[in-house]
Amino acid sequence: MKEEITFNSKMVLAYDANTRISIPTYDLIFTMVQSYFRAQLDEKAASLLVVGAGGGNELSAWGPYNSKWTFTGVDPSAEMLAMAKNKAVQLGLESRVQLIQGTIDDVRHSDSKYDAASCILVLHFIHDEQEKLKLLRAIKKHLKPGAPFVLVSAYGDLYDAELRNRLNIWKSFFLDVGYESAKVEEMGNTILTKASFISESKIEQLLREAGFTNIGRFHSTGLFGGWICHAE
Ligand SMILES: C[S@@+](CC[C@H](N)C(=O)[O-])C[C@H]1O[C@@H](n2cnc3c(N)ncnc32)[C@H](O)[C@@H]1O
């Protein structure tokens, strides 16, 4: 069995900087998702479910500029959630943000379902394919029919040269900002062995099986891709 990655305090401190090297377009992803949600939600008051809200970057990217949006963020890591809470407080968003430590199973089902949801950089930390599907199905159950959903994840077929090519680009981001090559090699091996890569077609299949339609990839940088879709 693969060793799971848990977000402890050391990783939390390094998270914001490292992610922006690992995904040079990281901030742009949030800008694009904001535009997508805005176009779908039509400036109305809207409730957003943020799965894997640790770190708080969804809150800080979307909260200040969309005053009618409220956020329910869920994440099992207390340390990552503490960072999210700090950002919410600093930006004066507390009245529009609820944070839940746990998984999607800890999000209460209520009569009013969510208007939109995101699951950014979470799916590849779940190793079992059925568990990935379970998570996506649970997100779908929390959404109103037609609600937009965004998924961002590492993807690719581990045995395919296509992924190896993208891994080389990913490594070059780190070399270019001054990481030593031995360290970059080690990080490349770690991500391939500890993260759970599945092919793009498998990701699309899981989304369909979970009850999402109009699935399309809107983004790809290095090892990561982003998909937009709608709850049926
Ligand atoms: C790489 S961080 C991404 C955080 C944030 N979405 C972002 O893009 O900055 C991954 C987060 O997923 C969380 N996570 C891991 N397994 C999860 C699960 N089953 N449900 C929700 N969050 C999970 C981790 O605790 C961590 O905070």
Side-chain angles (χ1 to χ4, degrees):
M1 205 175 92
K2 285 190 169 192
E3 195 187 326
E4 306 264 328
I5 297 176
T6 48
F7 282 78
N8 55 32
S9 45
K10 201 171 142 208
M11 284 172 75
V12 166
L13 286 177
Y15 179 73
D16 272 349
N18 286 348
T19 305
R20 288 179 170 85
I21 306 169
S22 184
I23 311 176
T25 55
Y26 179 71
D27 293 299
L28 273 179
I29 294 175
F30 289 94
T31 308
M32 288 172 83
V33 174
Q34 173 177 256
S35 299
Y36 172 57
F37 283 164
R38 277 183 179 168
Q40 300 295 316
L41 300 172
D42 208 14
E43 301 202 6
K44 294 192 197 90
S47 57
L48 275 72
L49 174 61
V50 180
V51 178
N57 290 332
E58 289 85 346
L59 307 178
S60 57
W62 305 329
Y65 312 106
N66 300 281
S67 58
K68 292 184 188 163
W69 292 3
T70 56
F71 301 88
T72 299
V74 61
D75 197 298
S77 162
E79 282 130 325
M80 289 292 277
L81 269 190
M83 190 151 84
K85 183 159 186 221
N86 268 343
K87 287 183 186 165
V89 170
Q90 275 168 22
L91 294 166
L93 302 172
E94 301 117 286
S95 62
R96 291 192 281 128
V97 172
Q98 185 203 4
L99 295 173
I100 300 167
Q101 190 192 344
T103 66
I104 190 83
D105 297 336
D106 299 299
V107 179
R108 205 167 54 86
H109 281 273
S110 68
D111 293 343
S112 58
K113 295 193 172 199
Y114 290 93
D115 295 294
S118 67
C119 182
I120 299 182
L121 300 176
V122 175
L123 203 71
H124 52 264
F125 293 113
I126 298 172
H127 288 271
D128 185 83
E129 218 167 277
Q130 286 308 309
E131 289 296 315
K132 290 181 202 274
L133 179 58
K134 209 171 124 198
L135 172 64
L136 296 173
R137 278 200 171 124
I139 294 171
K140 152 73 175 61
K141 274 198 187 140
H142 278 287
L143 288 171
K144 291 177 182 167
F149 172 55
V150 171
L151 176 74
V152 176
S153 174
Y155 77 101
D157 187 332
L158 271 185
Y159 302 102
D160 201 328
E162 185 271 336
L163 177 58
R164 301 284 155 171
N165 253 342
R166 283 191 287 119
L167 179 68
N168 288 336
I169 296 176
W170 181 82
K171 287 181 189 168
S172 70
F173 299 149
F174 283 94
L175 292 173
D176 284 350
V177 296
Y179 276 56
E180 291 188 356
S181 62
K183 176 74 186 157
V184 172
E185 279 309 309
E186 182 198 316
M187 290 185 337
N189 291 335
T190 302
I191 197 160
L192 285 186
T193 50
K194 290 201 176 165
S196 168
F197 283 80
I198 54 173
S199 67
E200 174 163 28
S201 59
K202 180 55 87 175
I203 285 187
E204 290 176 356
Q205 183 194 325
L206 291 178
L207 283 168
R208 272 193 305 276
E209 278 181 41
F212 292 100
T213 56
N214 301 334
I215 302 158
R217 176 152 59 77
F218 70 96
H219 171 267
S220 175
T221 300
L223 298 175
F224 302 88
W227 291 263
I228 50 177
C229 54
H230 292 260
E232 275 171 350

